[in-house]
Amino acid sequence: MSAVTNPLAEARPHLEPEAALRLLERHWGRGGELSSLHGERDLNFRVECPGGERYVLKIHNPADPAEVVAMRSEAIAHIQRVDPLLPVAGPVLDRNGRDAVTVIAADGRPSVVQLFVLLPGRHPSREELTPEALAHFGAVAARIGRALRGFFHPAARYQIDWDLRHTASLAGKLDHLTADERELVLEVLERFSGLVAPRFEGLRAQVVHNDLSRTNLLVDDELRIVGITDFGDATHTALVCDLAIAVADILDGRPDSLDLAPHLVGGYRSVIPIEEDEAALLGDLVAARLATALALGSWMSRCSGAAAFPGALELLRLMSEAGYDAVAEHLRRAARPEGPPRLRPTSRSTPELLAARRQVLGPLELSYDEPLHLVRGEGSYLYDAAGRRYLDAYNNVPVLGHCHPVVAEAMAGQARRLVTNTRYLHESTVELAEALVASAPPGLDRVLFVNSGSEATDLAWRIAQHATGREGAVVTAFAYHGVTAAATELSPEEWPHGAAAPSRVALVEAPGPAALAPGEPPHAAHPDLPAAVAALRRGGTGLAALFVDPAFTSDGILGPAGAWLEKAAAVVAAEGGLLVADEVQAGYGRTGEGLWSIAASGVAPDLMTLGKPMGNGFPVAAVLGRAEHVDPFVAETGYFSTFGGNTLAAATALAVLGCVHSEGLVARARAVGAHLLRGLEDLAREHVGRIGAVRGFGLLVGVEIVAAGAGGALWPDPAAARAVVEGMRRRGVLVGRTGPAASVVKIRPPLVIGEAEADEVVEALGRALEDL
Ligand code: PMP
């Protein structure tokens, strides 16, 4: 329905105070002192009753139809039911139980009349508003929106010029502005037509208050809102309009408005998450509100004598001077911050950040000669601060691609519901453990949750020691199993160059990189497994466990190595030790043969460690084992990890596992991996003498970079491998290096990459090789 006439154009109704008093007595049985109260288009009286009660008698503008007035009353009643603590006041019922009566005013026009309880408090001044008060105002604005979410009324379609959706139509109402003001407003209208109007209809919409200005808020001495008044502009429009209007009208002309706005937006966001489109349009909607206030204010002051809005002009000037794009970005970030509330007001440039990082993190390694300053990830791509896109062919943690929406949603949802530890019963922890057991090699029927691959290694070693009564472990010659003190003992990759193995650790040769012939592997040869086991026995520690990454990633990506693993499993079993499959790196479908890389060999491990991809970036890890080993360990040690497998970790890991299945990522890893391998093998034929070997399975692939040494023998060439990695980075493709000589280009993308992206990797590698 649209109003027959426009209430903004229609003069306020006219009624003498004596006539208003008679009305009050006749319909509500009340009397008292009447005084005039401001109203934009209605006639309002303040009523002081002899008993101390105070009311507002509102004679609505004749252009406001009764259905629209009823819609507002019902909206207030809805809010009172949904969020009774919001200080709104509905109309007082008259003697006949009606919430409104229609009267003929002195000028002969019919008007709807209502009586409201006068809410306590005073209007806040813009100068006194603190960040805390603004955050509170924002939260209250959001609560009004939330409370009205389920409200419907057919009259809410009522057209009102204050609805920001009509901003573009203000062009016809600019005659009373100065030339300066008109220019400002026209700029806003132009942006609105180009940027906002095409997206407006796609925004979340509902009935909103639509006028959350300081004059409609009442506060106590602590600046807490004790009254929300004037639902006279309530209409069905975009939800975010209430926030835009609050920003515009609460801060209006304060010189620091733009600095303070994020506090208001943050308060709003603490109640209602702001959607991407809403955040993107917020700045322009604030500008639209200010332009509307200027245009309609000047126009109404001509038509009906209402006051204009000086604060709006000041804030619009501020926004125009700062640049609308910059303000829009500022508010977008406040609405959807990339992280928690910032302790620093501004972001640093890349060189500034680099210098600051050195100050606090010291020499902690950064990838690439020119470090990457990343700000966003999506799917297989990462984006830097300058907006450049990189194909991520290196990170195996985001197995589903960066910032997967289903996982992000699961995390956020669980974070909002319950975050607590495994000492309480909770569905998702149990469901996750069940899913892992169901997927695991036979016999692994127990799960212990931890927070990192390193912890999983550490715990697996403790379980193996407990189960066997022995202390020692065997690892491959250049293994990596983690950063804890124990895991470092099991990680020769991390030991200082030339250091001897710790007394309880023996090294064993990994399955050799055969394609490296005729050059020799760069490290000293190590014994085979029986000899390593015998050495531990001689040393008195005995074999508790063999730890093996079935893809031999840090040894140079040497899998699949079924025969090696089978033989190893037999030796370990004969010795009474446990076989630990470290699936932290190669698990979760990466190798394209089931979820766990060891499964392809048919070998059943005694313990399995999981980590990195398990949370797609969220820290969660686990040890899977057999009840006969795990239960006595847990019973005796009272094992417990505060965060391990907590409700948030479990909900996240469940979502990851669910997506790996539902998106068919194991099969995809196999297919795209095979395509990648073929491309790399073709490349190797073009670069004989530079590519010594291409190895791997699924989406875990190594390219050995070599150079001809004396006599034409091919040697690993770490310097060239490094140059290739840097060259690919310059071309927008991220890879890394691995292997004992750091001569193997490690390609390990999220499993969601497609063949076109795999081709991009091959192409970048080829180009980088040509540059050598
Ligand atoms: N095991 C393997 C095979 C790994 O690759 C890693 C990490 N690169 C770990 C264990 C340790 O995991 P985290 O860094 O999560 O502690």
Side-chain angles (χ1 to χ4, degrees):
M1 170 199 346
S2 64
V4 181
T5 50
N6 187 338
L8 304 193
E10 193 82 13
R12 272 193 221 104
H14 182 73
L15 203 66
E16 293 300 331
E18 302 76 49
L21 188 57
R22 281 199 300 277
L23 207 70
L24 186 66
E25 283 166 349
R26 177 152 28 100
H27 290 284
W28 284 276
R30 288 171 171 86
E33 292 266 312
L34 262 62
S35 53
S36 183
L37 253 188
H38 168 78
E40 175 187 275
R41 54 185 192 267
D42 304 330
L43 178 66
N44 297 329
F45 290 102
R46 180 190 169 111
V47 181
E48 301 263 357
C49 297
E53 315 97 278
R54 295 184 306 178
Y55 297 97
V56 176
L57 183 70
K58 184 179 258 307
I59 297 112
H60 289 272
N61 192 289
D64 270 341
E67 305 93 288
V68 172
V69 173
M71 179 269 290
R72 294 174 195 151
S73 306
E74 287 179 33
I76 293 169
H78 192 93
I79 291 175
Q80 288 173 326
R81 281 196 300 278
V82 176
D83 190 345
L85 295 181
L86 276 175
V88 293
V92 179
L93 301 186
D94 78 347
R95 287 174 154 164
N96 299 317
R98 296 173 302 181
D99 62 11
V101 297
T102 300
V103 300
I104 307 294
D107 51 19
R109 297 178 302 168
S111 277
V112 180
V113 180
Q114 291 184 302
L115 184 70
F116 294 91
V117 171
L118 184 80
L119 290 167
R122 60 179 177 84
H123 298 303
S125 74
R126 67 183 188 190
E127 286 74 22
E128 69 182 327
L129 293 176
T130 58
E132 295 72 29
L134 288 167
H136 166 62
F137 287 15
V140 169
R143 280 173 58 194
I144 296 170
R146 189 176 62 184
L148 282 172
R149 204 181 267 175
F151 176 68
F152 172 77
H153 195 287
R157 278 192 303 161
Y158 158 73
Q159 288 212 3
I160 175 157
D161 287 346
W162 287 110
D163 181 350
L164 296 183
R165 83 171 70 231
H166 304 308
T167 301
S169 69
L170 292 176
K173 295 193 172 74
L174 307 183
D175 295 347
H176 308 301
L177 293 173
T178 66
D180 251 17
E181 292 166 348
R182 193 158 43 238
E183 199 179 315
L184 265 177
V185 170
L186 280 172
E187 192 185 354
V188 175
L189 301 196
E190 196 176 319
R191 282 182 65 92
F192 190 91
S193 297
L195 295 171
V196 185
R199 291 159 84 181
F200 197 95
E201 296 296 328
L203 297 174
R204 276 187 290 186
Q206 61 168 71
V207 173
V208 299
H209 179 283
N210 205 34
D211 194 13
L212 291 171
S213 62
R214 268 186 292 112
T215 50
N216 290 331
L217 297 176
L218 293 154
V219 293
D220 64 13
D221 288 341
E222 261 89 58
L223 294 174
R224 306 293 297 177
I225 292 178
V226 290
I228 302 156
T229 63
D230 192 0
F231 281 71
D233 291 351
T235 189
H236 186 279
T237 188
L239 172 64
V240 69
C241 288
D242 262 356
L243 176 60
I245 290 167
V247 170
D249 287 22
I250 289 174
L251 290 164
D252 49 22
R254 250 179 93 145
D256 54 357
S257 294
L258 297 176
D259 294 333
L260 287 173
H263 296 289
L264 205 150
V265 176
Y268 186 96
R269 190 166 44 79
S270 71
V271 177
I272 300 183
I274 299 171
E275 294 188 349
E276 194 91 38
D277 263 6
E278 295 170 333
L281 299 184
L282 181 58
D284 279 288
L285 286 168
V286 172
R289 168 65 173 191
L290 298 168
T292 303
L294 283 178
L296 293 185
S298 67
W299 183 73
M300 282 184 329
S301 63
R302 275 301 175 91
C303 296
S304 60
F309 302 93
L313 181 61
E314 291 167 45
L315 183 49
L316 201 55
R317 285 214 171 102
L318 274 178
M319 290 179 74
S320 171
E321 280 158 22
Y324 291 110
D325 280 335
V327 174
E329 177 57 16
H330 174 64
L331 293 180
R332 187 194 67 74
R333 281 184 188 220
R336 284 183 73 93
E338 266 122 36
R342 298 288 301 271
L343 301 178
R344 287 178 50 85
T346 53
S347 298
R348 285 174 271 216
S349 69
T350 301
E352 284 169 344
L353 192 61
L354 190 61
R357 184 185 192 274
R358 288 218 174 97
Q359 285 298 316
V360 284
L361 302 186
L364 191 73
E365 187 185 342
L366 274 165
S367 296
Y368 308 111
D369 289 345
E370 194 189 328
L372 279 171
H373 177 182
L374 297 176
V375 294
R376 190 163 75 81
E378 190 180 341
S380 318
Y381 289 95
L382 290 165
Y383 297 82
D384 74 8
R388 182 160 182 217
R389 193 176 86 150
Y390 296 86
L391 174 61
D392 183 1
Y394 185 64
N395 283 293
N396 67 334
V397 169
V399 67
L400 306 175
H402 290 275
C403 308
H404 193 285
V406 173
V407 178
E409 206 49 48
M411 284 166 69
Q414 189 62 50
R416 281 195 284 265
R417 265 190 309 280
L418 174 69
V419 183
T420 189
N421 67 59
T422 51
R423 280 189 173 142
Y424 304 98
L425 266 179
H426 193 266
E427 182 68 36
S428 57
T429 308
V430 177
E431 193 183 333
L432 174 63
E434 285 171 337
L436 290 173
V437 164
S439 74
L444 302 184
D445 53 1
R446 288 291 187 272
V447 183
L448 296 181
F449 291 109
V450 286
N451 309 290
S452 68
S454 304
E455 276 184 66
T457 298
D458 202 300
L459 181 60
W461 200 4
R462 285 182 66 195
I463 295 169
Q465 289 173 340
H466 190 268
T468 60
R470 305 180 199 149
E471 226 191 310
V474 174
V475 293
T476 54
F478 207 65
Y480 181 78
H481 294 290
V483 294
T484 65
T488 303
E489 284 193 57
L490 301 178
S491 300
E493 187 191 32
E494 295 298 287
W495 302 346
H497 191 69
S503 60
R504 54 186 188 162
V505 176
L507 301 186
V508 64
E509 198 67 73
L516 206 59
E520 289 295 318
H523 53 89
H526 292 282
D528 61 8
L529 188 56
V533 168
L536 285 180
R537 211 185 304 133
R538 276 200 309 280
T541 58
L543 177 74
L546 165 67
F547 282 79
V548 63
D549 161 8
F552 303 93
T553 315
S554 54
D555 286 289
I557 307 180
L558 308 177
W564 192 100
L565 288 167
E566 259 180 66
K567 226 186 290 171
V571 172
V572 171
E575 186 67 12
L578 305 192
L579 173 62
V580 183
D582 181 340
E583 294 279 353
V584 171
Q585 180 79 230
Y588 270 81
R590 174 152 301 278
T591 56
E593 300 278 345
L595 275 184
W596 313 114
S597 65
I598 193 152
S601 66
V603 169
D606 300 298
L607 290 160
M608 199 162 87
T609 55
L610 323 179
K612 299 175 91 171
M614 189 170 173
N616 206 52
F618 187 89
V620 52
V623 176
L624 268 68
R626 302 172 191 277
E628 67 192 87
H629 301 139
V630 176
D631 290 358
F633 168 79
V634 171
E636 219 167 280
T637 61
Y639 169 81
F640 169 69
S641 163
T642 301
F643 298 126
N646 77 3
T647 53
L648 182 50
T652 308
L654 262 180
V656 174
L657 206 51
C659 290
V660 168
H661 287 297
S662 68
E663 295 181 20
L665 293 185
V666 179
R668 189 180 178 92
R670 181 167 60 241
V672 178
H675 179 85
L676 173 65
L677 215 52
R678 277 195 300 277
L680 291 170
E681 280 159 359
D682 288 346
L683 194 69
R685 279 188 279 280
E686 288 172 33
H687 294 274
V688 176
R690 259 311 185 196
I691 295 183
V694 176
R695 295 186 294 267
F697 44 179
L699 285 169
L700 180 57
V701 179
V703 179
E704 177 89 52
I705 305 296
V706 294
L714 293 179
W715 288 86
D717 188 344
R722 181 180 170 166
V724 166
V725 170
E726 294 292 340
M728 291 176 75
R729 179 242 186 264
R730 283 194 298 279
R731 287 176 174 79
V733 177
L734 305 182
V735 294
R737 285 190 295 161
T738 189
S743 58
V744 179
V745 174
K746 178 160 64 168
I747 303 172
R748 199 182 45 171
L751 303 189
V752 290
I753 72 156
E755 293 192 348
E757 287 143 343
D759 292 343
E760 229 182 286
V761 175
V762 176
E763 156 126 14
L765 180 52
R767 290 270 168 85
L769 278 171
E770 280 157 21
D771 287 350
L772 286 179

